[in-house]
Amino acid sequence: ESPPAEAGAAALAAACDSLPALRAAMAAFEGCALKHGARSLVFADGNPRARVMIVGEAPGQDEDLAGLPFVGRSGQLLDRMFAAIGLSRHAEAPEEALYITNLLPWRPPRNRDPAGNEAAVMAPFLFRHIELARPDALVLVGKIAVGAVLETSEGITQLRGRWADWRGIPTLPTLHPAYLLRAPIHKREAWADLLSLRARLDG
Ligand code: URA
């Protein structure tokens, strides 16, 4: 049996039939203590009609201040990477657009990794978010998002670049831009993943 906060989140998320309703349910949710250490609920950015939805880990300081995902250094790299295959969070046409969110809507203290229970409690909201946005392709960036959505403990180096299926949506795990900033040599794998995404969208 699931612990109460997880069961509560699942029921609340299932009852949301629109993105604004989901955002409101998350803002009102009291089952995750991260909320109290954060300034903003970071819900999403970009175009909810985009063909491609990106899921990251959690807001950092810049995101917490802006109330938007991926606006700091990693976000700027993410934007450049996706721009290279013709996709932007600012595009209006769904074919050229991105919709961006995170597993966790609140910044963990001092940017620590999300604890397992925090991820488990908030995952039902993310799952509903993906179902409501209904992208043609889902891109999971980094091991935390990959682990939470694909419910696997296999390593990111094994999983990246291999298409998976999440409830009928083609899903591509890839490397996190924060990791690429620390280890730029791995940009070549990230580039291969972006080309695979481009090919899937074109095919
Ligand atoms: N890293 C993430 O995973 N998400 C953000 O929004 C910013 C940095």
Side-chain angles (χ1 to χ4, degrees), residues 110-135:
R110 296 171 309 280
N111 299 340
R112 63 160 168 74
D113 277 357
N117 62 322
E118 292 159 354
V121 165
M122 297 312 293
F125 290 107
L126 172 64
F127 296 167
R128 190 72 186 136
H129 203 156
I130 301 167
E131 287 177 342
L132 289 168
R134 295 199 155 280

Side-chain angles (χ1 to χ4, degrees), residues 42 55-64 68-75 100-104 141 145 176-178:
V42 176
V55 177
E57 176 177 326
Q61 182 171 36
D62 295 313
E63 291 76 21
D64 187 45
L68 293 170
F70 281 108
V71 295
R73 269 187 85 219
S74 324
I100 307 176
T101 191
N102 284 305
L103 168 62
L104 294 176
V141 299
H176 196 289

